[in-house]
Amino acid sequence: MRFAGIVIPMLLLFALPAAARGIHYGAVTDTALVACDQLTWRGQRDAASRCYRGLLTSSSSLAIRAEVAWALGDVKSANELFGAAVKQRSTPALLTRWGELYAETHQNSEALKLYQEALQADKNYAFAQVGAASVLVYQFATQANAYLQPVMEGSAVPPGARLRALLLAARVNLEDSDTSRAAELLSQATQVATAAQLPQLEIYALQASVELLLSPLGTDVTQSSWVKKALAENPAYGDIYAIPAHFYVITRRTREAVDLYKRAVQIQPDNWEARVDYGSSLLRDNQISAAREQMEAAYKGDPYNVVTVNTLRLLDSLKDYDVLAYPEITGHETGSVQSLRDQTPIVLRLHKKESAVLGPYARKLTEEAIAVYTKQFNFKLKEPVVVEVYPNHEDFAVRTAGEPGLGLLGVTFGYVVAMDSPSSRATDEFHWGTTLWHELAHVFTLESTDHRVPRWFSEGISVYEEWSSGPVKGISIPAEVYAAFKAGKALPVAELDRGFIRPETPGQVMVSYMQAGLICEFIDREFGTARFNDMLAAFKSGMDTSKAVQSVFKISPKEFDTRFNAFMQREFSNLFDHFDAWENDRSTMQAAFSHADWATVMQSAQAALSVLPNDVEGGSPYVALARAYNGTDRAAQAQTTLETYFKRGGHDPEALRWLATRLRSQQKFSEAALVLDAINYVTPFNYEVHGELGDTLLTLKRPAEALSEFQAALKLDPPDRATAYYRLARALQALQRNAEARKNVLMVLEVAPNFRPAQQLLLELARTK
């Protein structure tokens, strides 16, 4: 994998410009050094630099010299000096400060080791506890609480450590959309900072973030009293804009984030973290050139940030992609002179090795989705939809989060959709057509609410649309999610966002996706799909989930949960009542399948399907049952089984290929075409499937569609090129494009001079001149 991660060695090799060292809140106590720090915190950078340089020559303390080198941007020297100081005399305070150096240079694992070493020396050293928590909390590690709580609740905790703990907790609560709790914590933080005379700049930035999240649309956060107060204390404090911008990012309001990050780097050009985030936000807004400019500047200032390095490599790779722009979609007036924004075309960014085959399918599905969603949500898109498809999953991960290792299949940034290519994953774990359909629903729910829709409802609608209007219809839920529902692990609707943003268990995100989809299914059946738009309007107006539920359904969130749980029992009571038997039957079926014990496979598969007839996920009993029937010469029953499987949303390519062959042999060409077309939304790079679909469409007198399939087959470089050209010629003949047909026949005869069907077709074409 091209972006498998970047290992930065323990010895720091480069020097960073100034401003890498953050506010330490009393973790450093030397009065001369703190006097220099206070100049920095007030934005008096030149005076601070002179002050630090004076200490560099006057102080004999290795620890102080390390802090000074760090403040002056010489990270290499700071690291060496910390190492020498620890070797001379190791203390929890010194180890913790060394850990902070690593944390601020994006080396969290090394930082955590140093924090833990400090805590081995003093298990109650509060600054090390907060440092460890700050590293772990952004890895969604629940053990962060074990470090944070003692600092929050202890009686003999230094005020600076308590302040850092309160600020971290406030930030986490803001990320969980709990503005009330965040405001309480910030009030406590203000009291601690005031009593201890500690800097309050970060408090101001977080208070501005609370204001931002609670304000009506269009409110200018730059006019907040908190912003003015911060800039009065430090005119170069870029985080007064960058921290609120972060909350725009996590609420998917990219363009507002871009504006704030731009202000942050204008007043503090060497705020490299803000510059990276600025570049990332520009990239999410499809401003490729501007994003590169910011990332290149950030790399020059901070070469340690892997997000910067990975993003620059990704941007370099875009030269290998085609950009395909399509005109007005079906249903809009064509031929008129309108701006690109009014026309709402589709732009596809596809890898050159895949664009010729994938492009027509991606375009068709995108057009269909936009037509469906425009009607469903009564919202017309105002800009082009950009769809990016990455054949290397790690490229997609970098595009999304700046680092490899992302578990998602697709992501939406307003009008930009990025996703894995079907070539990036095994066919049994990825239906690319469904993923694209899911992500395009996000474009509508995000844009129609000015990005105010909570994550759970946006995801819920996307999952619901997968099941109801997408290329694979029918409710389809993984077995492990059913187990979680049976165990009562669903969250209350008012807290469901937490399952996406800060999951407590590895499987909670998937459970939350499925629960959100089922809630939307419940809303559809109990209240009607019109309530979807009512909910979206409530969210756009600024309501949270609890208020939206009360306003739209006229019941409390608690009553909503009660009615949803009753719906779940009605829908899945048979499964919940026989869950252990269902799991056992599935397990027995799979074991028997592995050694072709068809009698056992049939018995256990039928038993499993009697409990859950819609079991079409991976390892579906339908596929095993059909194989068992086929293995015992009962092809008709195998066909019937797979027809049911297909209608319920099953999409195993091998099973569907067998079904299509049977249907074609029975001259059921319309049914066969549907099955073959469905295969291409799972695995579109099979030239045989394209050829068979083209033949079927030609039989159905649909030559234009057949031609597209034959072109795709030829672009996949089939070994039998003579047949590929012959198929093209037949489709062109049916379209009365005889000159082009003749050229393709000649290509056939050039490859295979004795190909008799081609010779016959050439004679037919000669007679039609």
Side-chain angles (χ1 to χ4, degrees), residues 552-758:
V552 171
F553 304 111
K554 311 305 179 187
I555 57 176
S556 69
K558 185 176 181 180
E559 175 63 19
F560 184 93
D561 291 332
T562 299
R563 291 176 64 172
F564 172 67
N565 290 335
F567 163 80
M568 290 287 287
Q569 286 301 316
R570 290 195 303 272
E571 287 297 304
F572 303 113
S573 59
N574 189 44
L575 174 62
F576 294 158
D577 290 345
H578 302 92
F579 192 83
D580 292 342
W582 175 72
E583 280 196 315
N584 184 63
D585 285 328
R586 252 178 151 262
S587 178
T588 301
M589 174 197 75
Q590 291 163 357
F593 186 91
S594 66
H595 52 269
D597 179 358
W598 301 132
T600 302
V601 169
M602 284 187 273
Q603 181 181 4
S604 54
Q606 288 167 340
L609 289 171
S610 71
V611 175
L612 186 64
N614 209 53
D615 188 357
V616 295
E617 285 284 320
S620 170
Y622 284 107
V623 176
L625 182 59
R627 181 68 181 87
Y629 281 139
N630 210 33
T632 53
D633 299 321
R634 298 154 77 178
Q637 288 170 283
Q639 179 178 338
T640 301
T641 299
L642 288 181
E643 286 174 337
T644 302
Y645 169 71
F646 178 61
K647 288 174 183 176
R648 288 184 175 274
H651 50 81
D652 178 271
E654 185 178 346
L656 295 187
R657 182 87 180 276
W658 184 91
L659 175 60
T661 300
R662 281 279 297 185
L663 292 168
R664 292 181 70 209
S665 72
Q666 297 163 353
Q667 298 190 350
K668 296 179 178 179
F669 295 113
S670 294
E671 294 92 331
L674 289 173
V675 175
L676 289 166
D677 187 60
I679 294 172
N680 282 323
Y681 287 104
V682 182
T683 173
F685 302 118
N686 187 318
Y687 64 85
E688 292 178 340
V689 172
H690 286 290
E692 291 168 12
L693 178 54
D695 287 340
T696 306
L697 292 167
L698 206 54
T699 302
L700 292 168
K701 302 188 184 306
R702 294 158 60 182
E705 296 168 80
L707 178 63
S708 179
E709 294 302 320
F710 293 148
Q711 289 171 330
L714 185 61
K715 288 163 184 171
L716 289 167
D717 197 22
D720 184 359
R721 297 184 70 80
T723 298
Y725 284 121
Y726 174 69
R727 282 168 159 166
L728 276 174
R730 287 174 57 223
L732 290 163
Q733 180 194 32
L735 289 166
Q736 298 183 346
R737 294 162 59 179
N738 291 341
E740 295 171 79
R742 185 173 184 277
K743 288 180 182 179
N744 279 278
V745 172
L746 293 175
M747 292 291 291
V748 175
L749 296 174
E750 183 179 317
V751 175
N754 298 320
F755 197 114
R756 292 187 63 81

Side-chain angles (χ1 to χ4, degrees), residues 324-330 345-348 350 355 357-370 387 389 432 436 440 681:
L324 310 174
Y326 295 105
E328 187 73 64
I329 64 170
T330 303
I346 297 163
V347 178
L348 304 179
L350 308 174
S355 62
V357 174
L358 197 57
Y361 279 90
R363 176 191 179 183
K364 177 185 175 184
L365 201 63
T366 302
E367 287 178 344
E368 290 175 357
I370 290 174
V387 177
V389 183
W432 75 269
L436 179 55
L440 289 166
Y681 287 104

Side-chain angles (χ1 to χ4, degrees), residues 204-486:
Y204 301 154
L206 289 170
Q207 290 281 22
S209 301
V210 173
E211 230 175 58
L212 174 151
L213 293 174
L214 293 175
S215 296
L217 282 175
T219 301
D220 185 359
V221 71
T222 65
Q223 298 304 308
S224 164
S225 62
W226 300 107
V227 172
K228 293 175 181 178
K229 185 177 286 191
L231 294 178
E233 287 191 21
N234 182 350
Y237 182 57
D239 277 353
I240 193 59
Y241 297 123
I243 288 175
H246 168 73
F247 293 97
Y248 271 141
V249 169
I250 66 172
T251 53
R252 296 173 292 184
R253 294 156 73 180
T254 300
R255 290 184 178 168
E256 291 93 333
V258 165
D259 292 340
L260 287 185
Y261 283 129
K262 182 178 180 180
R263 288 176 178 269
V265 300
Q266 283 175 338
I267 66 170
Q268 189 181 1
D270 56 359
N271 188 330
W272 309 119
E273 194 76 26
R275 197 173 284 275
V276 171
D277 291 334
Y278 181 26
S280 296
S281 297
L282 287 165
L283 193 56
R284 293 186 184 109
D285 196 38
N286 202 40
Q287 298 186 51
I288 307 295
S289 298
R292 177 186 288 278
E293 181 181 338
Q294 295 304 320
M295 288 297 183
E296 287 176 347
Y299 178 76
K300 290 177 183 177
D302 178 4
Y304 303 129
N305 194 323
V306 296
V307 172
T308 312
V309 177
N310 289 338
T311 303
L312 285 171
R313 288 181 177 175
L314 174 66
L315 291 170
D316 286 342
S317 77
L318 293 184
K319 68 181 185 300
D320 298 325
Y321 286 72
D322 287 328
V323 178
L324 310 174
Y326 295 105
E328 187 73 64
I329 64 170
T330 303
H332 291 271
E333 181 184 353
T334 57
S336 60
V337 178
Q338 300 180 63
S339 69
L340 191 66
R341 181 166 297 216
D342 289 337
Q343 288 180 355
T344 20
I346 297 163
V347 178
L348 304 179
R349 184 174 285 118
L350 308 174
H351 199 279
K352 292 180 185 295
K353 68 182 182 181
E354 298 185 349
S355 62
V357 174
L358 197 57
Y361 279 90
R363 176 191 179 183
K364 177 185 175 184
L365 201 63
T366 302
E367 287 178 344
E368 290 175 357
I370 290 174
V372 167
Y373 294 148
T374 298
K375 182 178 180 181
Q376 167 81 353
F377 300 112
N378 193 29
F379 179 80
K380 181 180 176 181
L381 298 179
K382 299 177 176 64
E383 296 186 22
V385 173
V386 180
V387 177
E388 302 177 350
V389 183
Y390 291 90
N392 183 329
H393 172 72
E394 300 306 348
D395 285 355
F396 161 65
V398 169
R399 173 68 170 97
T400 302
E403 296 186 64
L406 189 73
L408 297 176
L409 299 171
V411 68
T412 300
F413 309 111
Y415 285 100
V416 177
V417 170
M419 60 179 284
D420 275 330
S421 165
S423 65
S424 70
R425 290 175 176 262
T427 56
D428 62 349
E429 63 181 44
F430 182 37
H431 190 290
W432 75 269
T434 295
T435 299
L436 179 55
W437 196 267
H438 175 110
E439 295 303 329
L440 289 166
H442 283 312
V443 176
F444 282 80
T445 53
L446 290 171
E447 292 301 325
S448 67
T449 61
D450 293 319
H451 293 230
R452 290 210 157 192
V453 60
R455 191 174 298 272
W456 78 265
F457 193 65
S458 185
E459 295 294 355
I461 284 184
S462 287
V463 172
Y464 167 86
E465 292 295 344
E466 284 183 40
W467 296 340
S468 61
S469 65
V472 178
K473 296 175 180 63
I475 294 175
S476 181
I477 297 174
E480 61 272 17
V481 175
Y482 284 121
F485 287 147
K486 183 179 183 297

